[in-house]
Amino acid sequence: MRGTAGGGAATGLLPGEYCGRRWLPIAGDIALAVGLLVLDAIGTVVALLIGIDYSGWQSFDPRADNSDIHLTPNWLYVGIAGGLILLTAALLYRLRAVVSTCLQVLVAVTVMLIAVAGAQFDEEHGARADASVSAASPGL
C-alpha cells in the first residue's frame, strides 16, 4: 500500500524507493576533480600570460633595444580566471559532484587570493618606484 511510508507525509513512495537525483560516483568525482584541476592550472597560466603588459616589445627585430621594457602582469585577468573557476564549482554542485565542488572552490579562492596579493604587491612596488624616481630627479 502506498501512502505514508515510514510514518512520514503522504509521498506515494514505498520505504525502499528513491526520490531525488543521485550523487556522482566517488571514482568519477575524483577523476573529474583531477581533470578540472589540470584545466584550471592551464587556464590560470594562460590568463596570466594574456594579461602581461608588453607594450613596445619588438620580438622579431634583432636591432630593437628591449632593455627598458618591463613585463608586468595584469592581475585582473587572473582574478577573472578565479571567478570562472568559481562558476564551474557552482555547476559541479548542481551535478552533485561533492569532491570536485570542494576542490574547485578551494582552487578559486586560492587563485583570487594570488591575484589580490599580486595586485597589492605591484601597487606597493610601483609606489616605491615612483617615489624613488621623484626623489632622484627633483628638477622635473
Side-chain angles (χ1 to χ4, degrees), residues 3 7 12-13 22 25 35 38 41 49 69 71 89 95 97 102 114 129 132 134 136 140:
L13 298 175
R22 294 179 16 179
V38 170
L49 293 177
I69 305 290
L71 300 177
L95 185 64
C102 293
I114 288 171
S132 65
S134 64
L140 291 177

Side-chain angles (χ1 to χ4, degrees), residues 73-94:
N74 187 348
W75 295 102
L76 178 65
Y77 290 95
V78 178
I80 290 171
L84 290 175
I85 294 170
L86 198 58
L87 284 176
T88 60
L91 294 173
L92 289 169
Y93 178 75
R94 298 276 301 156

Side-chain angles (χ1 to χ4, degrees), residues 33-126:
V34 169
L36 287 173
L37 188 61
V38 170
L39 289 176
D40 292 341
I42 292 169
T44 303
V45 169
V46 167
L48 181 67
L49 293 177
I50 287 174
I52 289 180
D53 178 25
Y54 56 92
S55 58
W57 183 266
Q58 297 175 1
S59 57
F60 296 112
D61 187 5
R63 293 172 294 181
D65 181 23
N66 291 326
S67 61
D68 61 340
I69 305 290
H70 298 287
L71 300 177
T72 57
N74 187 348
W75 295 102
L76 178 65
Y77 290 95
V78 178
I80 290 171
L84 290 175
I85 294 170
L86 198 58
L87 284 176
T88 60
L91 294 173
L92 289 169
Y93 178 75
R94 298 276 301 156
L95 185 64
R96 294 185 180 248
V98 179
V99 174
S100 298
T101 302
C102 293
L103 186 64
Q104 287 293 100
V105 169
L106 181 67
V107 169
V109 168
T110 303
V111 167
M112 290 179 141
L113 286 175
I114 288 171
V116 169
Q120 287 179 343
F121 176 79
D122 284 350
E123 185 176 324
E124 290 173 4
H125 186 68

